Amino acid sequence: MPQTELSTLTGLVGQYISRKYAAALLDKSKVAELKSYIAQYLYDTGYTVEGYTEKQLAERLYDEMAEYSVLTKYLHDPDVEEINVNGWDDIAITHLDGSIVKSEETFFSPNHATDVVKKLLQHSGMIIDNASPMAQGHLPNNTRVTALKMPIVDGDCGIAVSIRMLHPQRVDRENLIRTDAITDEMLGFLETCIRYGVSFVVAGRTSSGKTTLLNALLGGIPDNKRIFTIESGARELSLVKRDENGKVINNVVHTLSRPSENSAYNITQNDLVMAALRFDPDVICVGEMRDSEAYYAIEASSTDHTVVSTVHGGGGRFAHRRIASLAYGNFERQSLEQAALAFPVVVFAHKLGNNTRKVMDITECVVDDNGNLDYRTLWRYVISVNEDKDGEYHIEGKFVRINTISDSLRDKLVRGGAPQKLIKKYTEKEDEQ
């Protein structure tokens, strides 16, 4: 049997299919037919590629023709959380358990990698080229794509891509507790806040579990409560619930900002926050504050709406400094006071050295009549062992309750309708319960 390189065979098969069965390349309903045409070509020509069985080769060639090359199997793998293309010949796969594995298969060349990424970005109408070497887009299944090409990255790399997948079916409170990301008591407190009118923000770096936590919390809101979500670029929140007949049983409005080449037609997160107020929502969720939408999120919370969001930053006072900077462009006392009044509770999510995710602390900020800010840590994850053994991190710790909630937070929960028995859990010390 004639043996050849995969890149060469891909070109030959592509020419053959384009010449004889071009319609099958454009019609997703003809997947089975296209695969059979490829298999028949391999049978007729006898071509083989080292390291591939006949079936594997047919599948890989199909991925090259109609899907996304070497990325295809990872995009459809429920155990994959992130795909990082560091260069055309360097692909790192991050799994749900935090492990990172390099893919043995790579693209054929920098140009091949760029062509595949262009196809990915087409789903959201985004273009990456020499004039626009940076692009963000998304795929239909809650997958966010961020790509950089030459000259932003080196020519021998060709392109760099971060592809982040959200698995909404895995995002629930049981999973968070089982993986020791948070305790039942801490999660219950945040559920109490979101249900009875206390706005909060989840802070942390990229991939620290911020959106995962928000999904779980918002998913637990009673079905008769209206949720209005606002996101930018790609939808990562997935909250719609359906019964066995496919009927929607909860009350959710998902929205996405829309950039336009003509700024007059831009729909920003700012616009959507203002629109949300007209929908009489019980909860407004701004997926991420990263620009001036922080100002409008503060304004919405200040009008007694329950607002939850995420922000890149540290816990407690660092989150409020970040929000103040985004909203007002400064760290002045009045700006910090407004950020703290709008989001009195800060949840700090973090990815540890062993790739596990933890809610490191939940902090309350009390603002007195003079505008002074008093930060009270309510819960903290205390690390007792943090060792690097032969390149592997070994971390041990436990969640500790530090303080009860303040009188002002208790009063806010009372006004929001929280039962006294429920509030009592967070106002009494553990030895008093």
Side-chain angles (χ1 to χ4, degrees):
M1 290 187 178
Q3 191 173 94
T4 187
E5 296 293 325
L6 180 60
S7 58
T8 301
L9 184 56
T10 298
L12 293 173
V13 175
Q15 293 172 13
Y16 169 76
I17 296 296
S18 298
R19 188 173 66 252
K20 301 196 65 174
Y21 307 107
L25 281 172
L26 305 175
D27 190 343
K28 286 292 185 182
S29 68
K30 298 186 181 296
V31 170
E33 292 179 35
L34 180 56
K35 287 183 176 180
S36 69
Y37 298 149
I38 294 171
Q40 187 64 48
Y41 178 85
L42 293 177
Y43 178 81
D44 291 342
T45 62
Y47 279 122
T48 63
V49 172
E50 185 178 358
Y52 290 86
T53 66
E54 186 175 330
K55 182 179 180 180
Q56 289 171 338
L57 184 56
E59 287 288 340
R60 176 63 191 272
L61 290 169
Y62 171 79
D63 290 343
E64 294 294 341
M65 297 293 103
E67 295 286 344
Y68 306 106
S69 183
V70 66
L71 302 181
T72 304
K73 64 181 180 182
Y74 301 117
L75 289 169
H76 298 307
D77 188 336
D79 291 321
V80 171
E81 182 178 70
E82 191 168 353
I83 305 169
N84 281 296
V85 179
N86 303 319
W88 70 272
D89 59 350
D90 181 8
I91 303 172
I93 310 301
T94 303
H95 294 270
L96 288 177
D97 63 3
S99 62
I100 300 175
V101 179
K102 290 295 184 76
S103 170
E104 293 185 4
E105 296 179 296
T106 67
F107 297 104
F108 305 145
S109 66
N111 287 338
H112 177 225
T114 302
D115 289 342
V116 172
V117 173
K118 285 180 177 179
K119 192 190 296 187
L120 279 172
L121 292 168
Q122 284 175 1
H123 280 281
S124 46
M126 303 306 291
I127 296 172
I128 189 167
D129 55 23
N130 290 338
S132 302
M134 180 171 68
Q136 293 187 355
H138 61 275
L139 298 178
N141 58 340
N142 299 331
T143 297
R144 186 169 68 190
V145 182
T146 304
L148 308 171
K149 73 174 294 292
M150 300 181 294
I152 294 178
V153 298
D154 293 340
D156 56 354
C157 293
I159 199 161
V161 190
S162 172
I163 304 172
R164 297 188 62 201
M165 282 88 80
L166 180 70
H167 301 282
Q169 73 278 11
R170 305 266 181 116
V171 180
D172 54 36
R173 74 182 327 274
E174 288 76 18
N175 180 265
L176 289 172
I177 294 170
R178 181 181 57 80
T179 57
D180 202 31
I182 191 172
T183 66
D184 181 69
E185 181 185 44
M186 295 163 67
L187 200 53
F189 168 72
L190 296 176
E191 290 167 338
T192 299
C193 288
I194 201 171
R195 185 169 180 180
Y196 297 108
V198 176
S199 298
F200 63 84
V201 63
V202 183
R205 54 165 287 183
T206 299
S207 194
S208 59
K210 301 187 299 295
T211 304
T212 296
L213 179 60
L214 270 191
N215 258 302
L217 291 167
L218 292 168
I221 290 176
D223 294 340
N224 63 339
K225 298 289 186 180
R226 182 190 292 275
I227 307 170
F228 194 106
T229 74
I230 299 162
E231 296 181 86
S232 176
R235 185 157 70 82
E236 297 186 3
L237 296 165
S238 184
L239 305 173
V240 174
K241 302 177 187 176
R242 299 180 184 272
D243 62 17
E244 61 275 10
N245 299 314
K247 183 179 179 180
V248 176
I249 59 175
N250 60 344
N251 200 356
V252 179
V253 177
H254 282 304
T255 65
L256 276 175
S257 62
R258 186 195 69 184
S260 173
E261 292 182 0
N262 185 337
S263 59
Y265 297 106
N266 278 346
I267 304 296
T268 67
Q269 288 196 114
N270 304 346
D271 299 322
L272 294 174
V273 172
M274 300 309 294
L277 301 180
R278 300 184 179 94
F279 277 73
D280 189 26
D282 293 289
V283 178
I284 299 172
C285 176
V286 181
E288 182 182 332
M289 291 185 286
R290 50 186 174 185
D291 208 329
S292 58
E293 63 271 359
Y295 172 82
Y296 293 92
I298 289 174
E299 289 294 296
S301 179
S302 300
T303 57
D304 209 31
H305 287 83
T306 305
V307 181
V308 294
S309 186
T310 70
V311 68
H312 284 109
R317 68 183 74 251
F318 301 104
H320 286 149
R321 287 177 181 175
R322 174 67 174 158
I323 295 169
S325 176
L326 293 172
Y328 306 107
N330 62 65
F331 300 128
E332 293 178 6
R333 180 171 174 172
Q334 186 176 6
S335 300
L336 290 171
E337 179 183 347
Q338 291 301 312
L341 286 170
F343 298 102
V345 173
V346 176
V347 185
F348 178 41
H350 186 61
K351 189 176 184 180
L352 296 174
N354 60 358
N355 289 319
T356 60
R357 294 174 174 84
K358 303 286 184 188
V359 171
M360 298 303 292
D361 55 65
I362 298 177
T363 302
E364 178 195 355
C365 183
V366 181
V367 183
D368 67 19
D369 293 339
N370 296 318
N372 298 310
L373 277 58
D374 177 26
Y375 287 90
R376 300 160 52 90
T377 300
L378 303 181
W379 286 271
R380 175 176 292 150
Y381 182 73
V382 179
I383 296 175
S384 55
V385 177
N386 195 352
E387 300 175 336
D388 184 354
K389 293 183 177 180
D390 299 324
E392 291 188 9
Y393 281 96
H394 175 64
I395 297 175
E396 294 180 11
K398 64 178 181 178
F399 293 99
V400 178
R401 182 173 171 180
I402 307 295
N403 285 303
T404 58
I405 65 173
S406 68
D407 291 344
S408 62
L409 185 54
R410 179 202 61 200
D411 293 344
K412 190 170 183 63
L413 288 172
V414 170
R415 291 196 301 272
Q420 291 288 350
K421 184 178 180 180
L422 182 58
I423 295 174
K424 191 176 179 181
K425 293 171 58 177
Y426 309 115
T427 56
E428 290 186 349
K429 297 179 180 179
E430 290 185 279
D431 55 6
E432 296 174 342
Q433 296 181 13

